[in-house]
Amino acid sequence: MPKKLNRTWQLGLIILIGLTVLLRLWNLTDLFHFTYDEEIFAFIGKRMWLNRHIPLIGGVTPMHVHVAPYFYWFSGIWLGLFHLNPLGWGILAAIIATVTMVVLFFAGALIFNRRVGFVACIFYVFSFSQIIFDRHYWGLIFDGLWGLLTLISLNQIIKGNLKYSWLLAGVFFFAFHADLSTLVIYLLTGIVLIVLYFKPNWYNIEKSNKTNALKIGLLSGSAFLLSLLPLVLFDIRHNFSNSKGVLQYIEEVKSGRQGNIPVN
C-alpha cells in the first residue's frame, strides 16, 4: 500500500474531489440523462416503495435471461430516499464518479506512482466525455469502479497480499449484475489466475502462490454463484421461466434470427 498522503497530496485530492462533484452536478436539472433505461428503474423503484414489491430478477440480457436484481434494489432504495424524484440518481451518479476518481488515484499510486495517479485523475475530472457519461445513471456507471477495484486486487494478490481476495470476490458478486460489459473483468481475472497457477515465475514470485491462485479462484467463483441466489428463487417460484430464456436464445441462433432481426 502507498504511504500516508502528506498535506500537499491531500489538498490536491480534495480539490479534484470538489471539481468532480461540481462539474457533474452543475445544471443537473437540464443535463441529467433520463430515457428508457431510467424509466424502467423508476417504475421498478416506485413498485418497491408504493406496492411493496421486491423484484427477484434484474435487467434482461440479449440471451433473454435476467441478471440478479441488486442494481434495481440499489436504485430503488436511493429513489425512495429522494421521494421518487429521479434527480436523486444524478446526485448518486456524481457520488459514484467521485469514488471512482479517488480509487483511480490509489490504483495509479499502487501500480505506478502518485504522480501517475494524480495525472490520471486530472484527465478523468475534466474529460468532457467522462463528465457527460457520469450524468447518465445506469448499470455502466459502475464499470470504471469495478475495473479499477479488479486491477488493484490483482496487483496486490500477485504481490502476495491475499486480503484483497475478498475485495475481488465482492466485485465478482456484484459486477456482472450491473452490466454484462463487466464480463471482461471476469475474463481478465481468469487469465491472471491461470498464469499465476501454472507460471508463477512470470510474476517473479514463489511457486507457493500456485495454491493461493486456486483458493482465490474458488473464492471468487463461489461469490459469483452465491450472487445467483435471487434468480434461483425466482425460477423456483415461476416454473424456471428465466432459465428457459436460454432455450429461446438458442432457437433464435439456430433459426438465424435474434430479437426478430435476421442474422447474416
Side-chain angles (χ1 to χ4, degrees):
M1 289 295 293
K3 298 179 180 179
K4 183 178 179 181
L5 300 178
N6 59 35
R7 290 187 177 181
T8 301
W9 285 110
Q10 291 176 2
L11 178 60
L13 201 55
I14 290 172
I15 292 173
L16 289 181
I17 289 173
L19 290 171
T20 302
V21 174
L22 176 64
L23 292 173
R24 283 148 181 83
L25 290 183
W26 177 77
N27 206 11
L28 177 64
T29 303
D30 293 331
L31 298 179
F32 177 63
H33 192 99
F34 191 92
T35 55
Y36 177 73
D37 288 328
E38 290 77 14
E39 288 178 356
I40 294 176
F41 307 153
F43 175 75
I44 293 173
K46 179 186 75 68
R47 291 183 69 195
M48 288 174 59
W49 286 97
L50 299 184
N51 304 113
R52 301 294 189 269
H53 179 271
I54 307 300
L56 290 176
I57 57 173
V60 66
T61 69
M63 286 75 75
H64 306 297
V65 176
H66 292 257
V67 296
Y70 307 118
F71 179 71
Y72 281 174
W73 293 351
F74 182 69
S75 303
I77 291 172
W78 193 268
L79 185 66
L81 293 176
F82 280 83
H83 305 288
L84 304 185
N85 185 344
L87 284 179
W89 287 334
I91 298 174
L92 177 57
I95 294 174
I96 295 170
T98 304
V99 173
T100 301
M101 190 274 295
V102 174
V103 174
L104 175 61
F105 172 78
F106 286 103
L110 278 170
I111 300 173
F112 301 102
N113 56 62
R114 289 176 179 173
R115 292 181 183 274
V116 171
F118 196 79
V119 171
C121 288
I122 291 175
F123 280 108
Y124 181 89
V125 172
F126 294 103
S127 167
F128 176 78
S129 297
Q130 189 63 52
I131 292 171
I132 296 301
F133 178 85
D134 288 341
R135 289 175 176 270
H136 188 173
Y137 179 77
W138 55 342
L140 274 74
I141 197 170
F142 288 97
D143 280 13
L145 185 59
W146 300 137
L148 290 168
L149 292 176
T150 300
L151 290 176
I152 290 174
S153 299
L154 293 176
N155 175 266
Q156 292 299 299
I157 287 170
I158 290 172
K159 293 178 180 179
N161 197 346
L162 298 184
K163 67 181 181 180
Y164 280 84
S165 302
W166 294 100
L167 178 60
L168 183 63
V171 173
F172 263 60
F173 187 96
F174 291 108
F176 175 80
H177 303 293
D179 189 79
L180 294 190
S181 61
T182 56
L183 282 173
V184 67
I185 292 174
Y186 296 77
L187 177 62
L188 171 65
T189 301
I191 293 173
V192 170
L193 292 181
I194 289 172
V195 173
L196 187 63
Y197 184 83
F198 289 103
K199 297 289 184 179
N201 57 301
W202 287 12
Y203 297 116
N204 194 28
I205 56 178
E206 299 178 358
K207 291 186 177 180
S208 60
N209 279 275
K210 184 174 182 178
T211 303
N212 292 335
L214 184 60
K215 291 180 179 179
I216 295 165
L218 289 175
L219 176 62
S220 300
S222 298
F224 175 73
L225 292 177
L226 182 62
S227 72
L228 302 176
L229 181 59
L231 300 179
V232 174
L233 296 177
F234 178 88
D235 265 350
I236 292 174
R237 293 179 57 184
H238 297 87
N239 193 28
F240 298 93
S241 60
N242 187 44
S243 300
K244 291 176 181 177
V246 175
L247 300 178
Q248 179 185 346
Y249 178 74
I250 293 174
E251 287 298 321
E252 289 181 355
V253 172
K254 289 181 178 180
S255 63
R257 297 181 63 87
Q258 295 171 305
N260 297 321
I261 299 177
V263 177
N264 297 325

